[in-house]
Amino acid sequence: SYPNVYWTFLYRLSGLVEICLMHPLDVVKTRFQIQRCATDPNSYKSLVDSFRMIFQMEGLFGFYKGILPPILAETPKRAVKFFTFEQYKKLLGYVSLSPALTFAIAGLGSGLTEAIVVNPFEVVKVGLQANRNTFAEDPILEFLRKFGIGLLSGTIASVINIPFDVAKSRIQGPQPVPGEIKYRTCFKTMATVYQEEGILALYKGLLPKIMRLGPGGAVMLLVYEYTYSWLQENW
């Protein structure tokens, strides 16, 4: 169980580092995609020009607008991808297909499912990245909008990754039979729980998790956004 926990931690850490390092390029990409008129004096003419303009007009933190949604989506994105890939493989096992075709269809299905789940986070991210002036909106409405986005993001993340949380608790907790290790790896544990206790057993503890991570996501987004705004104004 411990190697599995270590690998999970490393996957999440590597994903977080990748997001932090490459997010400025994602901001620039979004700005290029949404601008319509190249003759506009505020439009970006080249990659170097875009970096220069963002830094001059919005400061260093302008390159990190919209970074919170990808961070919040990192865990559920990987969870959905691996979990649905295994489920599609099992379903395709009932059909006489070659292993290569089975893997290809399962990979396509997991990718499409991941895209559907992650898309709300992407919409939020692009909206934040596209906004060059974060101080022009009504403060109360802006607060409520950010709180709602954070709450929704935290809730969606909780619903998606709760089966993995259940598996982690089963692996780390006491085994059903003393001296016998029943729960060893993440996906095998999830399969065992599903087969023996049904699909709802994979969602045990969902309500307290949502009550913690739903508002937690809202607090996280608010702290990030208002800290970012303060730093931009004062630095």
Side-chain angles (χ1 to χ4, degrees), residues 83-113:
F83 177 71
T84 55
F85 180 71
E86 294 297 325
Q87 297 307 308
Y88 286 135
K89 278 202 306 181
K90 287 181 181 179
L91 290 174
L92 292 169
Y94 297 104
V95 184
S96 299
L97 297 175
S98 66
L101 188 57
T102 298
F103 273 80
I105 297 177
L108 176 62
S110 65
L112 291 173
T113 306

Side-chain angles (χ1 to χ4, degrees), residues 157-170 176 182-183 189-190 192-213:
S158 300
V159 173
I160 293 171
N161 67 25
I162 186 68
F164 293 84
D165 200 23
V166 170
K168 182 201 72 171
S169 298
R170 295 292 180 98
K182 182 177 182 179
Y183 304 118
T189 298
M190 292 168 65
T192 300
V193 172
Y194 172 73
Q195 292 169 358
E196 295 182 353
E197 304 173 46
I199 186 68
L200 293 180
L202 291 172
Y203 290 88
K204 287 182 177 179
L206 178 60
L207 182 58
K209 187 176 178 71
I210 288 177
M211 291 175 68
R212 180 174 71 89
L213 293 184

Side-chain angles (χ1 to χ4, degrees), residues 93-226:
Y94 297 104
V95 184
S96 299
L97 297 175
S98 66
L101 188 57
T102 298
F103 273 80
I105 297 177
L108 176 62
S110 65
L112 291 173
T113 306
E114 176 200 354
I116 292 172
V117 171
V118 174
N119 190 64
F121 294 92
E122 288 291 318
V123 172
V124 175
K125 181 197 73 170
V126 171
L128 292 171
Q129 290 177 340
N131 189 6
R132 300 191 186 190
N133 183 5
T134 59
F135 309 108
E137 295 179 34
D138 181 84
I140 297 178
L141 291 178
E142 182 68 5
F143 176 86
L144 294 175
R145 182 182 71 86
K146 290 175 180 176
F147 183 86
I149 291 171
L151 182 67
L152 179 62
S153 300
T155 301
I156 292 174
S158 300
V159 173
I160 293 171
N161 67 25
I162 186 68
F164 293 84
D165 200 23
V166 170
K168 182 201 72 171
S169 298
R170 295 292 180 98
I171 292 171
Q172 295 178 341
Q175 300 291 324
V177 180
E180 178 184 331
I181 301 178
K182 182 177 182 179
Y183 304 118
R184 293 180 179 273
T185 62
C186 179
F187 290 111
K188 187 175 180 181
T189 298
M190 292 168 65
T192 300
V193 172
Y194 172 73
Q195 292 169 358
E196 295 182 353
E197 304 173 46
I199 186 68
L200 293 180
L202 291 172
Y203 290 88
K204 287 182 177 179
L206 178 60
L207 182 58
K209 187 176 178 71
I210 288 177
M211 291 175 68
R212 180 174 71 89
L213 293 184
V219 170
M220 223 168 131
L221 180 62
L222 289 172
V223 170
Y224 167 81
E225 285 293 322
Y226 285 105

